[in-house]
Amino acid sequence: GARGLCERSRLMPVEALASSDRPVLALDNGSGWIKCGIAGEESPRTMLATSGLDGAGDTRPLKNGVIQDWDVMETYWDHVFTTGMGVNTERCSVVVTCNLFETKDNRERLLQSLFESFAVPAAFCSAPCVFELYADGRENGVVVGCGSQCSYAVLVHEGLPDPRTQLRSTVAGEALDSWTAKTVQAAAGCSLEPAVACRLKEDLGFVRKTADTAIEGEKQFTLPDGRTLQLSAEQRAAIAEPLFNPMLIDEAAGGISQMVADCIRLRDRDGVLESKTIGRDGTSAWFSNVVVAGGTSCFDGFDSRLQHDLALRAPGGTDVRVTAPAERKHAAWLGASILGSLSVMQQMWITKEEYDETGPLIVHRKCF
C-alpha cells in the first residue's frame, strides 16, 4: 500500500540518488510556487515564486493551477532545472504534477515540452491530489487542497481521482492576502503591499473552531517601516474566515466545508460500491477519510473547523475524521518524490522511445 511505499522511500540512501547518473526529479507546478528536488528526498531543493522572472517579465505561467502560457512556463522550468537544480535534463527522468483541471491539450503539451524542449529520457505526470495522498501513505480519501490561487476538493479511490467529484474555488491564499490588506487598511488606516499582507496573514491568522466561538489573544505585527499594528483576536480570526464563509469577499460559493460535503455526495449519487481497500465506500466512509493539503491549509485550527463543519453535514453517527499532515505545505511535491523513488516506476514511465512512437496522446493512457 501507499503507506508502505512511503516508509520504504524514506530509507533510501539520498546520497546515492543525488549522485546518480540519471537522477529522478520531482517537480510540482503550483500557482504560487514551483518546487523541484531529487526523488526520494523529504523536501524540495529549490522553490521558485511564479510572481516574476527575468526573460518572462511579470507574466505568470499558471492561473488557478492551470498552465496559461507555455513559453513562460518553459522559461520558469529552465530556471528551475539549470539555476535551481544545476542538472542536465537530458539525463533526468521527471515526475511532475499536472493539475486535475488541466485540459487534455495541456496534458499533451506538458509531455511535448518535457520530451522536445528539455529532452528528458522519461516522464510521468499525475494530479496533485494523488501525490498528496501518497505523502500521507494513502490511496483512498477526499483531498482538500488549499494553495495560492485555488482551493479544491476531490475524491480519490484506489489511487485514481474521480472526475465527477472535483470541485474548486478561487478563495485561496492570494484572495486572503487581498482580504487581509483590505481589512487592515479599514481598521488601521495603512495600506499593505501584497507581500506584507501575506506575511501578516501567515504570522497572525488562525481559524476559530466555529463562526461563533469566543476567542482572545491580541498580537502585534511590525511593518517594514518599523511601525507596529495591534490586531485583536477577532481581527486575526477574520483573516482566514473567507475560506469557510466566502460571502465575506463577495464570492457566492458555499465555502470549503460545503465543497467537501458536496464532493462526497457527488460520489455517492451512484449508490454504495464495494472496495477491497475501504469497505463499503458510501458517504460515511468518505467523511472518515478527509486529508488536507497545501500552504493555505496551514492555519492553526483549520482542520478542527473543517471537522466540526463536516460533522454537521455528515449522516448521523458518522465518524468524521480530518487529517492534517505536518508536511502538508509540500505534500504534492513529497508524494511525487516518494513515487519517483520506487521501483514500481519502471513500469509507469513514459519513455522517450514510447513518446517518439505514439506522440503526446500516450499521456492519457499511462498517466492519471
Side-chain angles (χ1 to χ4, degrees), residues 284-297:
S284 296
W286 294 108
F287 274 106
S288 301
N289 287 275
V290 178
V291 178
V292 302
T296 303
S297 73

Side-chain angles (χ1 to χ4, degrees), residues 101-117:
F101 303 95
E102 283 287 13
T103 63
K104 285 188 174 183
D105 286 349
N106 261 10
R107 286 164 63 83
E108 294 166 20
R109 180 66 192 271
L110 182 143
L111 213 59
Q112 181 184 347
S113 177
L114 289 174
F115 281 118
E116 297 183 17
S117 298

Side-chain angles (χ1 to χ4, degrees), residues 134-336:
Y134 275 147
D136 194 47
R138 301 171 187 238
E139 292 174 318
N140 295 280
V142 180
V143 179
V144 186
C146 296
S148 293
Q149 294 183 357
C150 179
S151 296
Y152 70 88
V154 64
L155 189 147
V156 180
H157 183 233
E158 297 184 351
L160 297 174
D162 183 341
R164 299 170 302 178
T165 68
Q166 59 193 46
L167 299 170
R168 64 173 166 172
S169 162
T170 56
V171 182
E174 291 181 16
L176 294 185
D177 294 344
S178 300
W179 162 250
T180 299
K182 179 181 176 182
T183 54
V184 167
Q185 183 165 10
C190 63
S191 59
L192 300 182
E193 293 292 323
V196 178
C198 179
R199 183 164 61 87
L200 188 153
K201 172 194 73 177
E202 293 176 354
D203 290 353
L204 269 61
F206 71 95
V207 177
R208 64 207 306 173
K209 186 164 184 179
T210 75
D212 305 317
T213 301
I215 49 174
E216 56 184 34
E218 185 176 277
K219 283 198 174 181
Q220 186 171 285
F221 180 79
T222 303
L223 296 168
D225 62 8
R227 289 182 296 159
T228 59
L229 298 175
Q230 292 291 130
L231 269 73
S232 69
E234 290 291 338
Q235 289 172 318
R236 293 174 54 221
I239 289 171
E241 191 61 26
L243 290 170
F244 297 89
N245 182 9
M247 291 182 68
L248 289 169
I249 55 173
D250 299 323
E251 290 284 342
I256 200 87
S257 305
Q258 188 61 49
M259 188 161 62
V260 176
D262 290 344
C263 164
I264 294 171
R265 292 198 178 95
L266 285 169
R267 169 73 183 194
D268 199 52
R269 66 186 177 191
D270 292 339
V272 176
L273 303 176
E274 292 295 331
S275 162
K276 296 175 192 170
T277 51
I278 204 169
R280 290 171 61 81
D281 58 346
T283 303
S284 296
W286 294 108
F287 274 106
S288 301
N289 287 275
V290 178
V291 178
V292 302
T296 303
S297 73
C298 292
F299 286 109
D300 283 348
F302 179 95
D303 50 325
S304 300
R305 171 71 169 274
L306 182 58
Q307 183 154 319
H308 171 273
D309 287 0
L310 291 180
L312 299 177
R313 292 167 168 82
T318 299
D319 178 19
V320 176
R321 274 177 285 174
V322 174
T323 302
E327 65 274 13
R328 63 190 179 276
K329 187 172 184 178
H330 303 308
W333 181 88
L334 179 59

Side-chain angles (χ1 to χ4, degrees), residues 1-57:
R3 189 170 297 280
L5 303 185
C6 181
E7 288 168 355
R8 286 201 301 278
S9 75
R10 285 184 174 144
L11 299 175
M12 296 188 70
V14 167
E15 296 79 8
L17 281 166
S19 62
S20 165
D21 285 339
R22 288 184 59 170
V24 175
L25 301 183
L27 176 66
D28 175 33
N29 285 313
S31 294
W33 294 88
I34 298 169
K35 303 165 189 174
C36 191
I38 303 290
E41 296 187 353
E42 293 191 3
S43 57
R45 291 194 175 198
T46 187
M47 291 175 54
L48 179 62
T50 61
S51 52
L53 185 67
D54 287 345

